[in-house]
Amino acid sequence: MKTDSPHILCVNPWIHDFAAFDFWAKPLGLLTLAAIMREKGITVSYIDCLDRFHPREPSQMKVLWDGRGPFRKTQIDLPQGLENTGKKFSRYGIKPQWFKEDLEQINKPDIIFVTSLMTYWASGVQETIEAVKEVYPDIPVVLGGIYASLCHDHAAKNTLADLVIKGPGEHQLKNIIQKFTGFELDAGNLPDVNIPDVEISGVSDVPGISNRVNDLDDLPFPALDLQNKIVYAPVLTSRGCPFSCEYCASSYLEPKLRRRSPENVFKEIEHWHYSHGVKNFAFYDDALLVNAGKYAFLLFEKIIASKMDLFFHTPNALHIREITRKAADLMFEAGFKTIRLGLETTDFSADRSHDVKVAENEFFNAIAHLKAAGFEEKQIGAYLLCGLPGQNLDDVEASVQVVKHAGIIPVLAYYTPIPHTPMWSDAVKQSKFNLLEHPVFTNNTLFPCVNSSRDLARISQLKNS
Ligand code: SF4
């Protein structure tokens, strides 16, 4: 057994896309693994290819009051099969030369962990790993994250990663580190996950970790301090979602709803605020307000009592039916500034083609509660799904009107076909692209399941209406 502590490099890869903007996007999973490893005495380095504040950045990138801002953008060739779209395709993030120099400047790592987010950013992940391998051809690269979990075989075939893992990484850390370095990590109280279909490809001979506990409070706070600058902090108070919408992979990625205690979340918010001056926080939860009396309300009450002057944002939609008057009042008092509601459609009929998450009166009541609490119209947006397989755009247009009439902002959310979701097979059948060929064809900017040019023109009208 090797006892020398290894050096592990964590990398957040480039994005390849038609458009990208930092809407409070941080690789929380990777930074949580970094924090665990650091806590266990492992030396951890971090290179963020999406760093808006890289020291070589000549002019400071623009930062909005809420921490969001643009990534550096470099136009690159359109992917094969999309050459005739007339669109511009870009790499978002730091210059390749800066990445190479950053890789050369650190001590040689023993393992390199690369994360991944959107499935259709696959080629950005591929390019990142190629760049890593140019500098460290003999160092094992482990790829995890959402693309790796949802498109495991594609990632295994099309990247130079030595190992592609599915699902949350915490419970796989010990085996991975042991396999590649011989170092015995004290798995201690790392949380368990119970995900069907999780496997560690290439290390199937390594047995699982014993003594697991299932308590997210045991995890250290994600190592946001490894970044060059912290302009906002993402916060995750829970993992998983009690719903299973047909287009969403939440229940595949996190089959059980698990919560952190309000005390633990509050400590994290205090930590980033007092130790690093962070004022803006983005909740990443899929289910922030579910069972709020036991969780979210206690957290909000603590924040209010602390008198910290903070701003909160909910880029992942809130569940509308959970927005009671009490929830709205507490969110307003705690400092929530951006409210996004998961509406999908205003077709509230029971026989509509997709599942009904919210009833008409629940939607209007929620808006009334938010406004009575003090939220302004411009702070409240309702996500409306657009571009679903076989969707009648009359419904989308009607929903936009209802939302506007209700006095809040309609936010069109363009459908991305995602493997392992119930809607995936319909999307594959109805798409104008071969979605099975490459994840890039699932990019929602391409409206993969909208086949007529008339409908495409209508969507852009709706977008600009
Ligand atoms: S779309 Fe939202 S509510 Fe539906 S399963 Fe996903 S996270 Fe849950």
Side-chain angles (χ1 to χ4, degrees):
M1 181 182 97
K2 192 181 164 196
T3 51
D4 293 353
S5 163
H7 171 211
I8 294 184
L9 169 65
C10 296
V11 176
N12 188 30
W14 283 305
I15 290 173
H16 286 185
D17 205 336
F18 302 98
F21 189 85
D22 182 0
F23 282 105
W24 302 293
K26 288 289 164 229
L28 214 45
L30 181 69
L31 291 171
T32 300
L33 293 187
I36 294 170
M37 294 189 284
R38 206 166 55 171
E39 196 175 67
K40 306 269 178 203
I42 289 175
T43 306
V44 178
S45 302
Y46 176 58
I47 303 180
D48 183 1
C49 292
L50 299 180
D51 189 359
R52 289 162 46 205
F53 306 98
H54 190 278
R56 302 276 304 273
E57 196 61 71
S59 58
Q60 281 297 304
M61 301 294 267
K62 192 174 170 198
V63 188
L64 301 183
W65 68 271
D66 54 17
R68 295 174 304 154
F71 297 119
R72 169 176 281 277
K73 172 178 170 179
T74 312
Q75 196 175 335
I76 55 174
D77 288 344
L78 278 158
Q80 216 180 347
L82 296 174
E83 298 90 342
N84 300 323
T85 51
K87 292 180 181 292
K88 288 186 176 159
F89 200 62
S90 300
R91 175 195 308 108
Y92 291 87
I94 61 174
K95 290 185 179 178
Q97 185 59 27
W98 301 350
F99 185 38
K100 183 169 183 273
E101 287 166 11
D102 288 352
L103 285 165
E104 286 166 347
Q105 268 163 23
I106 58 167
N107 290 330
K108 190 174 180 181
D110 295 295
I111 311 179
I112 300 168
F113 283 1
V114 179
T115 189
S116 59
L117 198 58
M118 298 296 189
T119 51
Y120 51 78
W121 292 343
S123 63
V125 174
Q126 194 181 344
E127 188 193 18
T128 305
I129 298 178
E130 280 166 14
V132 162
K133 283 286 187 185
E134 269 178 33
V135 179
Y136 296 116
D138 55 337
I139 302 300
V141 170
V142 179
L143 173 63
I146 293 176
Y147 157 64
S149 298
L150 293 172
C151 305
H152 180 273
D153 294 350
H154 187 272
K157 269 192 214 125
N158 294 282
T159 70
L160 296 177
D162 298 271
L163 175 64
V164 180
I165 62 168
K166 284 185 185 178
E170 298 92 0
H171 69 299
Q172 309 185 56
L173 259 185
K174 176 177 168 159
N175 292 345
I176 294 167
I177 292 172
Q178 189 179 40
K179 173 186 165 72
F180 289 120
T181 69
F183 180 76
E184 189 80 37
L185 183 84
D186 169 19
N189 49 2
L190 294 182
D192 189 8
V193 285
N194 181 17
I195 296 190
D197 204 21
V198 162
E199 63 196 46
I200 307 182
S201 66
V203 286
S204 54
D205 51 327
V206 181
I209 304 169
S210 57
N211 302 323
R212 298 166 179 176
V213 295
N214 191 359
D215 187 350
L216 296 180
D217 284 358
D218 286 337
L219 290 175
F221 306 146
L224 299 180
D225 52 294
L226 289 172
Q227 302 171 97
N228 283 318
K229 189 167 175 180
I230 313 178
V231 286
Y232 59 82
V235 179
L236 195 54
T237 77
S238 59
R239 294 191 188 181
C241 178
F243 290 98
S244 21
C245 301
E246 297 156 272
Y247 51 83
C248 177
S250 177
S251 59
Y252 177 78
L253 294 167
E254 289 281 356
K256 283 195 297 189
L257 176 62
R258 294 181 294 154
R259 318 291 300 243
R260 290 169 64 194
S261 68
E263 293 74 23
N264 184 257
V265 180
F266 178 68
K267 264 193 213 151
E268 180 180 3
I269 291 170
E270 273 193 320
H271 170 73
W272 297 123
H273 180 60
Y274 288 121
S275 308
H276 298 271
V278 178
K279 273 180 85 86
N280 281 289
F281 292 83
F283 284 110
Y284 276 14
D285 294 68
D286 290 333
L288 179 66
L289 295 179
V290 169
N291 200 357
K294 222 175 139 197
Y295 295 97
F297 288 175
L298 303 185
L299 172 64
F300 301 161
E301 281 161 359
K302 279 177 176 295
I303 293 166
I304 294 164
S306 75
K307 300 206 181 322
M308 286 186 286
D309 185 19
L310 306 178
F311 306 140
F312 294 97
H313 313 279
T314 59
N316 281 5
L318 296 172
H319 290 146
I320 292 171
R321 61 171 55 145
E322 312 294 345
I323 301 181
T324 57
R325 180 60 200 266
K326 181 172 180 180
D329 284 343
L330 287 174
M331 286 195 291
F332 187 78
E333 265 194 84
F336 278 64
K337 298 294 176 203
T338 314
I339 301 285
R340 290 290 173 265
L341 308 173
L343 181 60
E344 299 172 15
T345 173
T346 57
D347 175 2
F348 298 107
S349 54
D351 60 348
R352 62 181 248 202
S353 44
H354 301 298
D355 43 13
V356 181
K357 254 185 356 196
V358 59
E360 188 168 8
N361 65 326
E362 290 171 329
F363 171 61
F364 288 106
N365 286 344
I367 295 175
H369 293 322
L370 288 167
K371 289 191 174 173
F375 286 102
E376 294 173 33
E377 291 187 14
K378 63 178 187 211
Q379 293 179 297
I380 314 168
Y383 289 128
L384 294 171
L385 269 173
C386 180
L388 295 166
Q391 188 178 33
N392 182 342
L393 291 179
D394 289 347
D395 293 344
V396 182
E397 191 167 348
S399 299
V400 169
Q401 293 313 324
V402 172
V403 170
K404 278 186 179 169
H405 197 67
I408 60 168
I409 306 165
V411 183
L412 291 184
Y414 303 135
Y415 169 63
T416 298
I418 304 177
H420 304 286
T421 59
M423 202 175 270
W424 172 247
S425 57
D426 269 0
V428 170
K429 270 187 229 138
Q430 296 193 32
S431 177
K432 59 194 169 204
F433 300 114
N434 179 0
L435 301 185
L436 302 174
E437 193 183 322
H438 195 288
V440 75
F441 295 117
T442 67
N443 190 316
N444 59 0
T445 307
L446 298 167
F447 295 104
C449 297
V450 179
N451 295 327
S452 84
S453 45
R454 192 173 155 268
D455 279 353
L456 287 172
R458 222 173 140 193
I459 289 174
S460 59
Q461 265 172 9
L462 283 171
K463 190 172 141 192
N464 301 320
S465 66

